[in-house]
Amino acid sequence: MAENEEELLVSYDEDNIRHMDDMEHIRTRPGMYIGKLGDGSAADDGIYVLLKEIVDNSIDEFRMNTGKRIEIDLNETGSVTVRDYGRGIPLGKLLEAVSVLNTGGKFDSKAFKKSVGLNGVGLKAVNALSLHFSVTSCRDGQMRTLRFCQGRLESDETVASDQEHGTTIMFEPDATLFTGYQFRPAIIETMMRNYSYLNTGLTIMYNGQRFFSRSGLEDLLNERMSSQSLYPIIHLKGTDIEIAFTHTNQYGEEYYSFVNGQYTSQGGTHQSAFKEHIARTIKEFYGKNFEACDVRNGLVAAIAINVEEPVFESQTKIKLGSTTMTPGGGQSLNKFVGDFIKKEVDDLMHKQPDIANVILKKIQDSEKERKEIAGITKQARERAKKANLHNRKLADCRIHLNDARGDRQEESCIFITEGDSASGSITKSRDVNTQAVFSLRGKPLNCFGLTKKVVYENEEFNLLQAALNIEEGLDDLRYNKIIVATDADVDGMHIRLLMITFFLQFFPELVRKGHVYILQTPLFRVRNKRKKRKTAQNQVEGVVTEKGEFETIYCYSDEERRVAIEKLSPNPEITRFKGLGEISPDEFKNFIGSDMRLELVTLEKTDAVEELLSFYMGKNTMERQNFIIDNLVVEEDRVEEDEGEKF
């Protein structure tokens, strides 16, 4: 056997076989239990999964008609306390309930018939992945409290108590696992609103802020829609199902789906059933063979169903996989949703002809526009192929080139940048496995006020749509993050605005689903000039040699620059990056790695899209000019201050 082959041999015997207790296994393989860890900047990061697991249990108590109030307090230190007024975890099994896998009351469907958490994992994962974790259960005149550190029990105390029944849990995520984590209040507030919409009558107090809903999914749509509805929201309820929907003049479709109070951000069988049957029912009402895409264009809808022992496609429960309403067969979920929509929506449209007429006009307008562009879509697709997309415009990542996205789809991203120098720097610096680069040629077209026909007629938009694979919707979106990377100057800001306009105009769901980001790159590099020091050899000769190392600080704002100058004084060397192309590939690696700074593009109800785009991208030249002049005063003052500083 060759020497190098012997080195490849690894011993494998009894010593290699080891057993992990439940807490150790969770800490060793956290992704198996909560998905990605993250730092709290995204709504699906691990710290929110931990919070959700606890609140889900409290929600389940409410859904079992016990405990109408939940109190949640986020401490400045990063710990969270959740108090409910349900029945309280049975004291005799409290330890097992929070530290032993596959242990819980929800395996008994009589106690929790339509619960979210059924696998006995949630509280154990929170315990194991927290630096500090405590649970207190009050019931039957007693109160038992357990305290843990990194999943290890530290104290166990039971005392008499006259407190109301219920459970209190405190957890502090372990910073050694959730590196640099920080809870974002806005993300938590969205979670609490969703809980309130799905559980009418429940009061949730989060840091003193009250969340309560009387109208359920109708409240949700009123809160979330950023485009004007064409007719009053249709809100229908039945046993174990609730739907709400309306049409707007926006492109695409927008859905919010829930199962047993759980927000299924990636949809699933219930959402697919809704989409299928809402289109079919409306088509049959008019007796016309409309295309489903025309019926659903501009549709904004929400659906919530209750399923006994739901099956999800992952532990994070963001996509429903159940095909029946009860385990082991029973009524088809698709038929259940379809029967409800067929009866209730058809009845409503017969009773309210004014709404039916508005829907018909919307469908006809969508059909007319689709047919207008039908003749150019085929040619546009052919142009995209002939452009040799994967070489000329798109430097793709390997998980797509190999058609093996798998679990790495969450990591995938695409940088949209302008110019050969900028795209060249990013292309040379990127992680070729998960990061792609799409290069724009000059400034993209201002598409505000134009129809979707321009997406196919404009070469840049046509190729970008093909690269993202979003022509038929977001189901086959090729990248989890779409990152606009432009220079930090006037032209760069303009390109950024033009790209955001494109997404808001034709693919607003990309923004609503949290896929669009802005890359933050440093404006300044501040570093010490070459330091001089005597070496041991030349001290005798009195010769001073130069050490070619720098202490460097990258600054993303003027304030950071000022702090860096003070820290590295005297005489720091300051470089102002005017464009991405000026940053060398070696340096660029520091800005697009695991800790790259991204600003999420968000869309809320107060951001009325049509009015917003009309002001910034419309033909109101004088109004916009006055706005710019009025707001330039602050910028001029700042510039005057900077002129007194020597670079």
Side-chain angles (χ1 to χ4, degrees):
M1 180 180 296
E3 183 177 340
N4 61 341
E5 291 179 341
E6 291 178 355
E7 293 176 355
L8 294 175
L9 292 177
V10 178
S11 62
Y12 178 62
D13 53 30
E14 287 81 357
D15 293 336
N16 296 106
I17 307 298
R18 57 173 301 201
H19 170 74
M20 292 184 183
D21 62 36
D22 291 343
M23 297 292 99
E24 183 184 9
H25 189 271
I26 296 173
R27 289 183 62 83
T28 304
R29 298 286 187 269
M32 291 178 58
Y33 298 91
I34 66 165
K36 68 174 182 174
L37 294 174
D39 62 1
S41 58
D44 58 349
D45 282 350
I47 57 174
Y48 303 113
V49 177
L50 301 185
L51 175 59
K52 183 181 71 65
E53 291 289 358
I54 295 174
V55 178
D56 281 349
N57 289 337
S58 299
I59 294 294
D60 285 337
E61 288 295 307
F62 170 78
R63 295 169 74 84
M64 296 299 293
N65 298 315
T66 64
K68 295 185 178 181
R69 180 183 176 92
I70 301 173
E71 298 165 357
I72 302 168
D73 293 295
L74 172 61
N75 191 287
E76 293 181 357
T77 62
S79 65
V80 182
T81 301
V82 180
R83 167 67 152 113
D84 68 42
Y85 295 87
R87 292 162 292 184
I89 301 173
L91 272 58
K93 290 291 185 179
L94 186 59
L95 178 61
E96 291 85 346
V98 299
S99 62
V100 180
L101 288 177
N102 304 316
T103 303
K106 299 176 187 178
F107 294 109
D108 181 3
S109 292
K110 295 177 182 178
F112 293 91
K113 188 174 183 180
K114 291 168 182 174
S115 166
V116 170
L118 294 170
N119 299 319
V121 172
L123 284 182
K124 294 80 171 175
V126 181
N127 185 358
L129 301 177
S130 296
L131 177 61
H132 299 294
F133 175 92
S134 68
V135 56
T136 299
S137 180
C138 298
R139 56 185 288 165
D140 305 325
Q142 289 189 308
M143 180 174 70
R144 185 181 181 186
T145 300
L146 306 176
R147 294 182 176 84
F148 297 79
C149 178
Q150 294 181 324
R152 298 186 300 273
L153 180 64
E154 291 196 322
S155 67
D156 182 350
E157 180 183 14
T158 302
V159 298
S161 173
D162 59 358
Q163 289 193 26
E164 288 187 61
H165 281 201
T167 303
T168 302
I169 292 176
M170 185 285 298
F171 76 99
E172 179 184 341
D174 192 338
T176 64
L177 299 172
F178 303 94
T179 306
Y181 83 87
Q182 180 182 355
F183 283 101
R184 268 61 169 185
I187 293 177
I188 297 179
E189 289 169 9
T190 298
M191 291 174 61
M192 298 308 115
R193 286 192 182 93
N194 282 344
Y195 280 124
S196 66
Y197 298 142
L198 272 295
N199 299 277
T200 54
L202 171 67
T203 296
I204 299 177
M205 298 299 298
Y206 164 59
N207 279 7
Q209 185 176 357
R210 182 173 181 264
F211 295 88
F212 181 87
S213 174
R214 286 189 173 88
S215 300
L217 296 185
E218 183 178 354
D219 287 343
L220 183 150
L221 292 193
N222 276 321
E223 177 68 27
R224 297 291 174 81
M225 282 194 308
S226 55
S227 298
Q228 185 65 39
S229 61
L230 299 179
Y231 53 87
I233 294 172
I234 295 173
H235 186 206
L236 302 168
K237 286 186 176 182
T239 302
D240 290 329
I241 186 170
E242 177 183 358
I243 66 172
F245 68 91
T246 186
H247 280 84
T248 70
N249 277 326
Q250 70 184 31
Y251 285 99
E253 307 165 35
E254 182 179 344
Y255 299 101
Y256 303 91
S257 61
F258 304 84
V259 176
N260 296 6
Q262 164 69 35
Y263 176 42
T264 43
S265 59
Q266 292 187 7
T269 51
H270 58 321
Q271 182 171 304
S272 297
F274 175 86
K275 292 172 62 177
E276 173 189 343
H277 291 287
I278 194 72
R280 179 179 298 172
T281 298
I282 292 175
K283 286 166 56 178
E284 291 177 352
F285 173 81
Y286 295 115
K288 296 185 178 181
N289 191 28
F290 291 125
E291 293 287 339
C293 62
D294 295 327
V295 176
R296 297 196 300 254
N297 185 38
L299 183 68
V300 181
I303 176 173
I305 65 171
N306 296 323
V307 177
E308 188 172 335
E309 298 185 16
V311 176
F312 296 93
E313 294 193 3
S314 69
Q315 172 59 25
T316 51
K317 308 182 182 79
I318 56 177
K319 187 174 184 179
L320 182 67
S322 298
T323 57
T324 59
M325 294 296 292
T326 56
Q331 185 178 13
S332 161
L333 186 151
N334 185 284
K335 186 177 186 303
F336 171 79
V337 173
D339 288 348
F340 176 79
I341 291 176
K342 170 63 178 176
K343 179 181 185 305
E344 299 299 330
V345 174
D346 186 76
D347 285 351
L348 182 137
M349 293 182 71
H350 276 95
K351 293 176 182 177
Q352 299 197 34
D354 290 347
I355 291 179
N357 289 337
V358 173
I359 294 175
L360 178 60
K361 185 178 186 307
K362 171 61 179 176
I363 296 172
Q364 290 172 335
D365 289 344
S366 297
E367 182 181 51
K368 180 181 178 182
E369 182 175 347
R370 178 180 56 80
K371 288 181 177 179
E372 285 178 353
I373 66 175
I376 63 173
T377 54
K378 183 177 180 180
Q379 293 91 327
R381 295 189 190 105
E382 290 301 318
R383 288 201 312 273
K385 291 180 181 179
K386 291 179 180 178
N388 199 2
L389 188 61
H390 296 291
N391 291 317
R392 198 185 94 181
K393 298 293 294 183
L394 174 69
D396 211 349
C397 51
R398 287 176 179 169
I399 60 172
H400 288 123
L401 291 174
N402 298 332
D403 195 26
R405 290 181 294 175
D407 296 335
R408 305 206 69 184
Q409 171 66 5
E410 286 291 320
E411 304 174 49
S412 67
C413 67
I414 182 170
F415 296 98
I416 300 176
T417 189
E418 187 271 331
D420 294 337
S421 58
S423 61
S425 290
I426 297 181
T427 301
K428 294 174 182 177
S429 309
R430 66 184 175 128
D431 178 350
V432 295
N433 292 307
T434 59
Q435 296 179 331
V437 181
F438 184 91
S439 178
L440 296 171
R441 184 175 56 196
K443 287 186 179 181
L445 177 71
N446 179 3
C447 60
F448 173 69
L450 303 180
T451 68
K452 204 169 185 178
K453 183 179 180 182
V454 74
V455 177
Y456 297 93
E457 291 179 329
N458 181 274
E459 194 71 6
E460 297 287 305
F461 292 158
N462 179 34
L463 294 175
L464 179 58
Q465 177 181 245
L468 299 177
N469 197 30
I470 52 177
E471 183 180 357
E472 302 296 334
L474 304 192
D475 290 345
D476 296 315
L477 176 66
R478 299 178 78 240
Y479 308 95
N480 187 44
K481 292 180 179 177
I482 301 166
I483 303 171
V484 181
T486 61
D487 294 344
D489 58 14
V490 175
D491 285 339
M493 295 297 178
H494 191 202
I495 293 171
R496 178 187 301 182
L497 186 56
L498 290 167
M499 288 310 307
I500 293 176
T501 301
F502 169 72
F503 291 126
L504 289 178
Q505 181 83 2
F506 302 118
F507 305 100
E509 195 67 352
L510 279 175
V511 177
R512 291 193 179 89
K513 292 294 185 182
H515 292 293
V516 182
Y517 295 80
I518 301 298
L519 176 66
Q520 299 295 325
T521 53
L523 299 175
F524 305 96
R525 179 181 62 207
V526 181
R527 62 183 181 181
N528 276 339
K529 293 184 177 180
R530 287 194 175 105
K531 296 180 179 179
K532 299 181 179 180
R533 73 179 187 184
K534 294 181 179 180
T535 64
Q537 179 179 356
N538 61 36
Q539 278 180 359
V540 177
E541 304 173 0
V543 177
V544 178
T545 59
E546 290 187 344
K547 179 177 174 59
E549 294 181 358
F550 292 83
E551 183 177 1
T552 304
I553 299 177
Y554 294 101
C555 309
Y556 291 77
S557 66
D558 285 324
E559 180 59 30
E560 289 186 15
R561 174 176 59 84
R562 293 188 181 98
V563 172
I565 291 173
E566 292 177 4
K567 181 178 180 181
L568 299 182
S569 61
N571 299 321
E573 176 186 278
I574 304 172
T575 301
R576 170 67 160 94
F577 294 122
K578 296 182 179 180
L580 301 184
E582 295 183 4
I583 305 176
S584 69
D586 287 340
E587 282 185 296
F588 225 122
K589 291 180 180 178
N590 300 317
F591 316 133
I592 59 173
S594 58
D595 59 346
M596 67 176 161
R597 297 194 189 188
L598 295 176
E599 183 179 351
L600 178 66
V601 179
T602 59
L603 191 59
E604 301 176 357
K605 183 176 179 60
T606 54
D607 302 323
V609 175
E610 188 170 351
E611 292 83 354
L612 193 71
L613 294 180
S614 177
F615 179 81
Y616 287 105
M617 307 303 291
K619 297 181 179 180
N620 56 325
T621 309
M622 187 56 65
E623 182 183 2
R624 188 164 59 248
Q625 177 179 310
N626 292 334
F627 172 82
I628 294 172
I629 293 173
D630 292 342
N631 286 272
L632 268 179
V633 176
V634 176
E635 179 69 14
E636 289 171 354
D637 291 342
R638 184 185 65 76
V639 172
E640 289 175 2
E641 292 177 3
D642 288 347
E643 287 178 350
E645 298 180 4
K646 294 182 179 179
F647 277 43

